[in-house]
Amino acid sequence: MDFLSSLNPAQRAAVTAGDGPVLVLAGPGSGKTRVLTQRIAYLIAYQGVRPYQMLAVTFTNKAAREMEHRVQNLLGEEMTRGLLLGTFHAVCARILRREAEKLPVSSEFVIFDADDQETLVKNAIRDLNLDDKTYRPVSVHAAISRAKNELLSPDQFPVVTYRDEVVKRVYQRYQQLLRESNAVDFDDLLLLTANLLAEFPDVREKYAARFRHVLVDEFQDTNMAQYTLLRHLSSVHNNIFVVGDPDQSVYRWRGADYRNVQRFEQDFPGAQVILLEQNYRSKQSILDTAMAVIDKAPHRRKKKLFTERGQGDKVVFYEAFDDYGEASFVVDTIAQLVASRQFEPGDCAVMYRTNAQSRILEEAFLQARLPYRLVGAQRFYGRREVKDVIAFLRLVQNPNDELSLDRVINLPPRGIGNKTLLTLHLTAREAESTPGQILLDLARGAASPFWGKFSGRAALPLADFGALLAAWRGLLGTYTVPELFDRILKDINYLEYLDDGTEEGQDRIENVRELRRLAEEYQTRTLAEFLENVALVSDQDTIQDGNVPTLLTMHAAKGLEFGVVFIVGLDDGVLPHSRSFDDPEAMEEERRLFYVGITRARERLYLVRAMRRAGRGYAEEMVESRFLDDIPPELLNGKARAPRRKDSFDRRAGYDSWKLPSPPHPAPVRVQKFQAGMRVRHPLWKDGIVLHSRLEGEDEIVDVVFESVGIKRLAVSLANLTVIQ
């Protein structure tokens, strides 16, 4: 069990640090996960700490699973049994269920996901007779979320403007709707737990005494609610071990506050501070570029990143004529790297500032008929059929969940229309109950006092569904999660409902079966645990393996690494984003975001920009990102303007092919072939209408609106368009 011998001196100092507060400032690729997991193993194996006396928290299920796996590999499963290791939200959910008698919800509460939360805000806005165009639900919910992250209740919501007053009222109604559904949102998990520990000293002391050691991953991403939680949970023994890097704090928009690192040193005077500066991921040329960028940030503790992996190739800078040339360069270069057998497709990642930038990149991959993986696209758990099944299960767990009830009460269609549903809600409100409870009572038929509220035609399907719900709830104590899953699908013939004879129908069925495979992992666990898992899953948790390039935002890239990284859109207004121009704090977060993107690369890094972009419907001249000025020219290869490049690989190659055939030589277009108003057909997107056409260089560029995918800008030499007579 001599795992300490593999650590470098700084890592060893962190792992074997004595009791008391410890702050580990870990540079990217410096082995922070190794340090955290070996710290856990060290406390158990060398210090005699019992696993159940430790709490380790991180931000994603993926990170939690990796940490658990590493600890078990070091010590074996038996020696780690009882260790509480999970995400902040999962740990809080567990505490809240145990202490539910002190909360405004019961232990059967459900967790509303992001879509549910937005729907509930819409309902709150509607209930207050407000205009959801003036008060956009996404914006209002963001304000509510920020307040919760700062531990502010509706009564404490700060009001400076009239809009603040409106948001405060929506916040109050939103919370009422949550409580009526016996539900919480993600932020409530943190807020309720922090308030619980603050308001009930006996509860706080119970958990703080149990957890002799509290360990935290990605500490720079904590918000005020999480920081307060950690202080409460470490208040008895003061043994708190945090690992993080303020230089990688890029989630300010969701409440993360890198200043918590500074607060830690203030609130825990005498804390040991250990720097991890040796990088095990990147070549030195990449690290030098990253340090050139981040060293310009003020008010930070400087680190000198170094590696023993060698200097590596210079970072490549490429300046494209426009955003289409930018995408072409990326796809072309990836194809060349793969064809020359330097890298596999899955080694490559393309990173950008905003999701909207993916469209042109996707188009370039599609035109090349080359596969890719898009992170942040429709999540598996956001697909209609998956949300349907989850809604049925949530309703069984908690009949008061109105959102789930409204979603599935007529699914598959059973004759319950909107008018009947409205009557059900009004009846529940009059009875000071919930629609779910009324349904369960209607299962008794004419004996129910609510039977007369509905016409016979409406009451029967309501009673039938109420009987189904009652039967499913009766199975909670005896059926496993997969058994209950199968029973519900069988009772409603859901797979038959999805099987409409189309390929899309088969895809939906396969998605339900994939969810069923996940349920199989909960044979010995509860339905509540299953629902918590699917509610708290993150985008990174859903990244699938596969030997294809990955397209993702730099925010989504945090914690990941790739052999080759392309960072595109290095123009002022894109990165840094224009919203940061008048906000110094936001501008420095943009700098940190660029730093995070750079440090994802192991072997090669490409920095790419475009001289012109057409994001607003017309070509706009761009200025290169101010962050590029911080990188010394001697670190870059190719920092000079380059002409627009055409793709140099065969667009007709097979979709699963990553070969690089001989470059095609399309005949130059000398006259316009297409005019506005022409109907055209594309081999992939089918029929469309030309909106605009222009000659550009030796090619013709057309804007076409397709019924299937909307507006696309295409190069005629590549698009294979045909005119429909």
Side-chain angles (χ1 to χ4, degrees), residues 10-120:
Q11 291 174 332
R12 187 183 182 99
V15 168
T16 61
D19 287 351
V22 180
L23 170 62
V24 180
L25 297 178
S30 61
K32 66 178 181 58
T33 304
R34 168 186 282 192
V35 165
L36 198 62
T37 53
Q38 296 208 10
R39 171 70 172 178
I40 295 171
Y42 172 78
L43 290 173
I44 295 172
Y46 289 88
Q47 299 298 308
V49 179
R50 303 289 188 185
Y52 63 81
Q53 295 176 314
M54 284 190 287
L55 168 66
V57 287
T58 186
F59 280 85
T60 67
N61 291 321
K62 181 180 179 182
R65 286 194 298 269
E66 181 181 353
M67 287 168 59
E68 183 177 39
H69 181 69
R70 290 196 188 190
V71 174
Q72 289 179 352
N73 279 347
L74 290 171
L75 300 180
E77 190 173 344
E78 187 64 34
M79 285 188 68
T80 60
R81 185 165 288 128
L83 171 67
L84 183 52
L85 192 161
T87 65
F88 275 96
H89 292 91
V91 169
C92 286
R94 184 179 299 191
I95 292 174
L96 292 177
R97 292 197 193 280
R98 289 177 177 172
E99 309 296 337
E101 70 277 1
K102 299 178 176 66
L103 302 174
V105 291
S106 77
S107 61
E108 293 182 330
F109 67 79
V110 294
I111 303 168
F112 279 2
D113 65 18
D115 292 339
D116 299 326
Q117 293 166 35
E118 186 175 337
T119 299
L120 210 62

Side-chain angles (χ1 to χ4, degrees), residues 393 479-486 519 522-523 525-527 530:
L393 292 167
Y479 270 40
T480 65
V481 173
E483 287 172 340
L484 183 61
F485 188 109
D486 293 341
Y522 287 76
Q523 285 277 5
R525 300 166 71 182
T526 67
L527 177 61
F530 174 77

Side-chain angles (χ1 to χ4, degrees), residues 551-604:
L551 278 58
L552 72 172
T553 66
M554 279 177 278
H555 282 103
K558 191 162 173 294
L560 304 176
E561 60 180 67
F562 302 90
V564 183
V565 167
F566 296 80
I567 299 179
V568 301
L570 284 170
D571 306 297
D572 259 12
V574 182
L575 180 70
H577 197 282
S578 56
R579 288 193 300 264
S580 67
F581 285 175
D582 298 323
D583 184 345
E585 282 281 332
M587 181 61 72
E588 289 314 306
E589 178 151 319
E590 296 290 299
R591 179 185 297 280
R592 294 195 296 269
L593 187 61
F594 185 29
Y595 172 76
V596 165
I598 292 171
T599 55
R600 300 309 95 196
R602 293 195 300 265
E603 306 293 333
R604 291 196 192 174

